[in-house]
Amino acid sequence: MSQQRTAIVTGAARGIGAAVAKRLASDGHAVAVIDLDEAACAATVDAITAAGGKAVAIGADVSDEQAVAAAFERIVAELGAPTILVNNAGIIRDNMLFKMSVSDWDSVMGVHLRGAFLMARAAQQHMVEAKFGRIVNLSSTSALGNRGQANYSAAKAGMQGFTKTLAIELGKFGVTANAIAPGFIETEMTAETAARLGVDYEDFKKFSAQQIPVARVGQPEDIAATTSFLTSEESGFVSGQVIYVAGGPKD
């Protein structure tokens, strides 16, 4: 059994974040479940505590410096110094470039990049002190380019560069940083994409599965399993990597 640590998962009220939070709790860690709306985190926290784990719900806008500082104060006080961070919080504001507003651009950059920066900057001091840390940033196959997602694809590509730099700067302190780039994962976000395209979600999943070598769409638990490894003691020689969890090869 690995040592119990305090883990933070952002965007953990639902979807991939919720699955990751539950998995890290089942790995024996205490988990800070962060989302914009604290009440929305209740289901994730309840599932963790019902299974015998330890978790707290924290409402915070990760793109707000003061909100992040306040969240860390609570985490340290209620769960202990965090040494595992999963930057999963994300939003989509999809549109073709000629129709994309500045606020659509800024809000996506704010949550993904500014949010990951603020969370990582706050977490690293605890990790450096403990001489152990695991940072996992959620990227996406959209980082390779995706029609209608100039903002999201730029942010997710940015997450990869950010991750590699964290790996270089923090490695000597026992801290690793890696990115997971999911392909098609069955979540509310992909359901939103289908709705935007005017396609039935079941048809959308079926069509997507036909393009994927393993012949199925991904589940949040697929990402949670990869996160479990990357946050474990034994993953200490894996750092600065982008792992495409997409059912097949991506360039």
Side-chain angles (χ1 to χ4, degrees):
M1 181 68 188
S2 64
Q3 187 180 334
Q4 183 186 29
R5 301 186 179 278
T6 297
I8 300 171
V9 184
T10 67
R14 59 188 68 81
I16 289 171
V20 168
K22 290 173 197 170
R23 177 61 187 258
L24 294 183
S26 76
D27 288 345
H29 304 302
V31 183
V33 176
I34 296 186
D35 215 293
L36 196 54
D37 175 15
E38 190 163 321
C41 299
T44 305
V45 170
D46 290 347
I48 289 170
T49 51
K54 187 176 182 183
V56 295
I58 295 176
D61 174 355
V62 296
S63 68
D64 181 312
E65 190 175 2
Q66 287 175 312
V68 167
F72 270 82
E73 274 182 38
R74 270 195 67 192
I75 293 162
V76 172
E78 296 177 37
L79 295 177
T83 53
I84 295 171
L85 170 64
V86 181
N87 282 313
N88 167 74
I91 58 169
I92 49 173
R93 297 287 184 271
D94 294 353
N95 229 326
M96 297 299 283
L97 181 64
F98 75 98
K99 288 194 285 191
M100 187 173 287
S101 68
V102 170
S103 68
D104 282 348
W105 177 272
D106 287 346
S107 55
V108 168
M109 291 297 157
V111 175
H112 293 92
L113 288 177
R114 184 182 165 100
F117 156 67
L118 290 172
M119 293 297 297
R121 190 181 64 173
Q124 59 82 30
Q125 65 186 90
H126 299 288
M127 296 176 178
V128 169
E129 220 169 89
K131 295 186 172 55
F132 177 94
R134 298 285 184 266
I135 299 171
V136 176
N137 295 319
L138 269 289
S139 180
S140 167
T141 52
S142 293
L144 303 169
N146 198 27
R147 184 180 177 86
Q149 289 194 317
N151 48 4
Y152 187 77
S153 61
K156 289 308 196 183
M159 289 290 260
Q160 299 188 10
F162 179 61
T163 300
K164 289 169 188 283
T165 300
L166 293 184
I168 293 165
E169 290 189 10
L170 299 173
K172 65 182 176 186
F173 302 108
V175 179
T176 66
N178 292 284
I180 296 174
F184 190 113
I185 307 292
E186 195 174 334
T187 63
E188 285 176 28
M189 199 180 265
T190 46
E192 278 177 42
T193 302
R196 176 176 64 87
L197 297 170
V199 183
D200 176 76
Y201 191 39
E202 292 306 313
D203 291 342
F204 190 48
K205 285 190 290 185
K206 197 174 173 184
F207 172 78
S208 299
Q210 288 168 357
Q211 321 301 313
I212 298 170
V214 299
R216 70 170 175 89
V217 298
Q219 298 300 320
E221 290 71 24
D222 291 313
I223 306 304
T226 307
T227 306
S228 177
F229 169 68
L230 291 175
T231 54
S232 69
E233 312 268 336
E234 62 198 358
S235 66
F237 205 54
V238 180
S239 197
Q241 300 307 301
V242 179
I243 300 176
Y244 283 88
V245 183
K250 297 286 175 183
D251 296 324

